[in-house]
Amino acid sequence: MSFSKEQRQAVYDTIFARRDVRGEFLPDPIPDAVLSRLLLAAHHAPSVGFMQPWNFLIIRQPTVKQQVHQAFQKANDEAAQQFSGEQADRYRRLKLEGILEAPINLCMTCDRDRCGPVVLGRTHMPEMDLYSTVCAVQNLWLAARAEGVGVGWVSILDPAALKSILRITTANIVPVAYLCMGYVSHFHGEPELASKGWRQRLDPASLIYYDQWGQQESPHKLDEALGAQRRLLLL
């Protein structure tokens, strides 16, 4: 099966336009038809041994969101103390979540026992179930961007506190991603942490090695092709 040039470009456009949304959420609800498409996209992610280890916990109740927000504030205060000087001041000025503003919060979990103790493809890398769940997160995130729905990943949370709030009592269920979701007033043209001077995107050519770790010399270097494709795809 092949895709047209326009269809291929739409995929790249979605990837390059994806943003982590924090402060732009609108109160408009996400229709069930749209939310269903996003969950189906997530459920069609690749998973090792086809174990499909994810679950989707949809949170709409304000009381639950408030508890999660309080857990975030505690974790965020602890995180701020790990930075110093100007960086600490800049950190405290950043808005790093949209828990209360987003119409839907979604916790995506990984059931580490879903297929029993021995899973095809996981025998030597047991963490592959967690990586598979992250693939489901990315599927949902890209599908959401294509639907005009913003997503923000809140990682500044204590996992034990989150499990307690959400009443996840089973040890083998691991919260992987706590996501804020909703329609937005706008998407930023570039990642917010870049526009606010926290970090800039790295040059991809500096991240590529050839045949051996650390080897950047090769007769088949991609520097020129990377530059050309970046100009074409980001037009």
Side-chain angles (χ1 to χ4, degrees):
M1 181 177 178
S2 61
F3 296 93
S4 69
K5 180 180 178 181
E6 291 75 17
Q7 289 172 319
R8 292 196 306 271
Q9 185 63 45
V11 173
Y12 289 110
D13 288 345
T14 303
I15 291 170
F16 294 140
R18 185 210 56 80
R19 295 290 177 263
D20 195 350
V21 176
R22 288 116 177 207
E24 295 75 38
F25 287 108
L26 300 173
D28 311 46
I30 301 175
D32 286 348
V34 176
L35 182 58
S36 296
R37 288 198 293 270
L38 302 185
L39 295 178
L40 279 172
H43 186 55
H44 280 74
S47 63
V48 65
F50 203 39
M51 68 182 297
Q52 305 158 76
W54 41 73
N55 280 87
F56 309 101
L57 177 49
I58 299 168
I59 300 139
R60 290 191 174 97
Q61 285 292 333
T63 52
V64 180
K65 291 182 185 178
Q66 187 63 52
Q67 291 178 66
V68 176
H69 187 258
Q70 290 171 358
F72 163 80
Q73 288 181 312
K74 181 177 185 297
N76 196 47
D77 289 342
E78 294 168 352
Q81 295 172 21
Q82 299 185 43
F83 301 97
S84 59
E86 182 183 345
Q87 194 175 38
D89 294 337
R90 187 180 300 169
Y91 180 90
R92 290 185 175 90
R93 291 195 297 268
L94 293 171
K95 181 171 175 57
L96 298 174
E97 50 75 39
I99 296 167
L100 300 179
E101 300 93 334
I104 288 177
N105 290 188
L106 175 68
C107 184
M108 292 180 61
T109 62
C110 177
D111 183 348
R112 309 212 68 189
D113 289 343
R114 176 141 300 166
C115 292
V118 181
V119 178
L120 185 156
R122 195 180 163 216
T123 53
H124 291 72
M125 295 182 68
E127 65 275 14
M128 287 301 296
D129 57 340
L130 296 168
Y131 299 160
S132 297
T133 305
V134 174
C135 288
V137 176
Q138 181 76 338
N139 266 24
L140 180 137
W141 211 336
L142 293 175
R145 183 61 186 89
E147 295 274 5
V149 173
V151 176
W153 188 332
V154 185
S155 59
I156 308 170
L157 286 167
D158 176 67
L162 183 61
K163 289 187 72 170
S164 177
I165 293 166
L166 301 180
R167 299 184 182 178
I168 300 173
T169 58
T170 308
N172 59 285
I173 303 297
V174 177
V176 171
Y178 192 90
L179 306 174
C180 305
M181 300 173 57
Y183 292 108
V184 298
S185 59
H186 64 282
F187 289 96
H188 288 280
E190 62 177 328
E192 196 171 355
L193 291 184
S195 64
K196 292 189 174 178
W198 187 262
R199 280 185 65 84
Q200 300 302 312
R201 192 177 302 281
L202 299 174
D203 176 5
S206 70
L207 308 177
I208 299 173
Y209 300 140
Y210 300 91
D211 299 313
Q212 300 288 332
W213 182 262
Q215 168 122 350
Q216 293 192 305
E217 294 301 321
S218 169
H220 306 291
K221 289 184 74 170
L222 294 172
D223 302 47
E224 186 175 338
L226 279 168
Q229 291 304 319
R230 184 178 185 278
R231 288 190 294 274
L232 284 172
L233 293 172
L234 294 177
L235 284 176

